[in-house]
Amino acid sequence: MSSRQFFSAAKLLQLIAQHDDLTTIADAVLAAEHELTSRQPTEIRANMAIRLTVMRDAISQSLHNPARTKSTLSGGDAKRMHEHTPEHNFLSPVMHRATQYALAVMETNARMGKIVAAPTAGSAGIVPGGIIALQEEWHMTEDQCVDGLLTSAGIGIIIAHNATFSAAKGGCQAEVGVSTAMCSAALSAMRGLSPERCLNSASLALKNMLGLACDPIAGLVEAPCVKRNAIGVAHAMTSAEMSAAGITSNVPFDEVVEAMNNVAANMHANIRETSKGGLAVTPTGKRITKMIFGKNLGTALAKDTPPTAEPSAQHSCHYSQA
Amino acid sequence: MAQPTTDTWSIFDVIGPVMVGPSSSHTAGACTLGYMAGLLFGHGLQSATLHLHGSFGEVYEGHCTDVAIIGGLLGLLPHDGRIATAYDLAEAAGISITLKPCHLGAEYHPNTVKFDLQGNDKRMVIVGSSLGGGKIAITEIDKIPVRLTGAYSSLVICFDEGQHSLMDFLKFAMEEGLDPVKTETYSYKNRIILDIEIRQWFESAIIEQITSRFDVKWVRYLNHISHYDQS
Ligand code: SF4
């Protein structure tokens, strides 16, 4: 029997075409994981279902929490979005819900709460935000959500093998970019699109994230990360909807991943998780950094620099547990 | 050009790890690196100097990288909420910690830590990198280039050339009813590190037997680190 592992979208589609027992990406992902680890599909699904629970807990921990994090860079935005219910909303109900959930997961992450990296912690809000909002708004079953997670894992596996999830190597396209592709494919699968259409929505999402800088202020996974997840899930939904409308990416998924790799190779280290470029070195970014760490990372500090908070002890961790 | 990875990826590495925030590479991966280094060092750790290279050195405070590494050194895994108190735990255990942001060289992955571990008349210098999404690799042990990823359980034996051969250890493992799947040898000058992949769990008594029967520098059992586990 030939191997059911896949390292490219082309191989994934080929496997699905060749095997009668595989019709969806989720099926193929289960078969590959079973071959890799000998775990039974039922065990794998059950474990994924527990991850959904961890994701829901991460959402509920912050959805109604108005508190700012210790750094004061984030916190309370999930609640703000949740309570924002204007008569006319640019976002559809499912998209509006997804953005709240993405914010909530990321706020929980910033408070050192428990989350599921998907594929990383900095991008942990997008996949659960999309899947769980879709479940609630469109009344999907838990099994459909697990199928969604499996589909997103399949997209992630292809990227992991051919590019990277490391922002230190590939910038934020490797985190938020990748997770929008994963989420978009998951949502497409949950609404019943074909494997080709799922991969196509992943292509549309990832293409629009190529070159995204990783430039977190003060090195904290908060600004821009938290809000970037909310906009990221909306981006994933837009891609999925375009794919459902029959809009096709000119460049197939495998080549988009190659492009991502190529862009990563051309990215300056300053915008690859070193906090030496982009938003991190704006006057505001520097001022906040100084305020948080009592450390002057640059020369051009804004004039209104507030009195330095007590310089952090070298050993302290800047996250509150509360 | 970013190197395509040759490691295996389980879906639980992609939708996972289940972890305490805020960063998969700088918190979860850092913790796993500490955990592996702690296992490699073994008992009796008294002091640890952590040289943080690249992005690790730049942004460790914001990501609690130091806290996570120390938590790992003390045997905690990324989903363990006690990580947040790692400095207190280290102090209680009488382990002194020193942090040193550094530049090891361009050939190192930007998220790299060099551990200088000491205690009980022994010292070990271990280098490892966090590769993204919580994945890690130990790349150097006492100058010997290695690649230990925790992707499988293994018996790691360090000895000097001429003392023993690979076959001695394999024969021993077979006699003990173990099932070696794959071996890898690494060396620097005349020192050798042998990594024997073993699928099943085995008793620590085997380690003692190896230490008494063979003239080895050290032997460790590294249990496979799986992101399948979440509590
Ligand atoms: S900006 Fe950097 S730290 Fe923030 S989510 Fe993107 S890759 Fe992660």
Side-chain angles (χ1 to χ4, degrees), chain A residues 122 167 171-172 175-176 213-216 221 224-225 228:
Chain A
C172 199
E175 295 202 15
V176 166
C214 170
D215 49 359
V221 190
C225 322
R228 200 171 265 181

Side-chain angles (χ1 to χ4, degrees), chain B residues 27-42:
Chain B
T27 318
C31 174
T32 309
L33 277 173
Y35 183 83
M36 290 277 282
L39 287 180
L40 285 166
F41 185 80

Side-chain angles (χ1 to χ4, degrees), chain A residues 245-280:
Chain A
I247 297 173
T248 303
S249 168
N250 286 306
V251 182
F253 187 69
D254 289 328
E255 290 181 37
V256 176
V257 176
E258 234 173 80
M260 173 189 154
N261 231 352
N262 175 286
V263 171
N266 287 314
M267 281 174 100
H268 196 279
N270 284 357
I271 49 168
R272 285 189 279 116
E273 215 171 8
T274 52
S275 289
K276 284 181 170 171
L279 296 167

Side-chain angles (χ1 to χ4, degrees), chain A:
Chain A
M1 196 184 84
S2 63
S3 169
R4 292 192 171 197
Q5 308 280 327
F6 58 88
F7 305 109
S8 67
K11 180 72 200 276
L12 171 61
L13 290 175
Q14 191 192 37
L15 285 171
I16 294 173
Q18 283 171 351
H19 297 274
D20 291 340
D21 58 329
L22 308 179
T23 42
T24 63
I25 294 179
D27 293 340
V29 168
L30 271 181
E33 184 72 11
H34 171 64
E35 185 181 294
L36 181 73
T37 64
S38 326
R39 289 196 178 97
Q40 292 308 317
T42 45
E43 283 179 88
I44 296 171
R45 294 190 72 97
N47 189 308
M48 279 292 168
I50 299 173
R51 279 163 211 240
L52 278 172
T53 316
V54 177
M55 290 170 171
R56 276 192 204 97
D57 288 348
I59 291 169
S60 55
Q61 264 179 53
S62 292
L63 194 57
H64 306 286
N65 188 346
R68 297 297 279 180
T69 56
K70 213 168 196 174
S71 72
T72 74
L73 279 171
S74 66
D77 290 337
K79 180 172 163 34
R80 219 161 266 129
M81 200 66 180
H82 184 64
E83 289 168 0
H84 169 74
T85 49
E87 191 190 339
H88 300 292
N89 189 333
F90 287 128
L91 309 183
S92 67
V94 65
M95 207 187 241
H96 185 224
R97 192 179 284 267
T99 54
Q100 298 160 31
Y101 289 0
L103 288 168
V105 172
M106 291 306 293
E107 289 175 3
T108 297
N109 182 58
R111 293 189 176 97
M112 263 191 117
K114 200 187 261 192
I115 54 100
V116 184
T120 65
S123 57
I126 293 167
V127 170
I131 290 178
I132 294 170
L134 195 62
Q135 176 182 36
E136 293 176 5
E137 289 289 338
W138 292 14
H139 309 293
M140 300 262 175
T141 64
E142 198 72 354
D143 261 346
Q144 285 174 298
C145 292
V146 169
D147 283 340
L149 275 186
L150 291 169
T151 308
S152 65
I155 301 297
I157 294 259
I158 296 168
I159 298 175
H161 278 288
N162 299 288
T164 182
F165 296 158
S166 171
K169 283 209 140 166
C172 199
Q173 58 170 357
E175 295 202 15
V176 166
V178 169
S179 68
T180 62
M182 287 166 56
C183 178
S184 179
L187 299 175
S188 298
M190 286 170 75
R191 66 149 38 164
L193 297 193
S194 69
E196 287 82 2
R197 285 284 113 193
C198 293
L199 282 161
N200 181 61
S201 53
S203 302
L204 294 174
L206 188 55
K207 281 196 306 182
N208 199 43
M209 288 282 180
L210 294 182
L212 191 64
C214 170
D215 49 359
I217 293 177
L220 300 165
V221 190
E222 292 187 69
C225 322
V226 174
K227 299 181 191 94
R228 200 171 265 181
N229 272 255
I231 300 171
V233 77
H235 168 81
M237 288 187 163
T238 308
S239 310
E241 201 58 57
M242 285 169 71
S243 191
I247 297 173
T248 303
S249 168
N250 286 306
V251 182
F253 187 69
D254 289 328
E255 290 181 37
V256 176
V257 176
E258 234 173 80
M260 173 189 154
N261 231 352
N262 175 286
V263 171
N266 287 314
M267 281 174 100
H268 196 279
N270 284 357
I271 49 168
R272 285 189 279 116
E273 215 171 8
T274 52
S275 289
K276 284 181 170 171
L279 296 167
V281 297
T282 54
T284 302
K286 286 182 187 168
R287 178 166 51 77
I288 295 171
T289 305
K290 192 174 179 207
M291 188 181 72
I292 294 173
F293 293 121
K295 194 159 76 180
N296 191 349
L297 289 192
T299 44
L301 281 164
K303 281 183 245 72
D304 59 335
T305 306
T308 308
E310 69 275 32
S312 60
Q314 187 180 24
H315 293 161
S316 70
C317 183
H318 298 274
Y319 288 89
S320 62
Q321 196 77 75

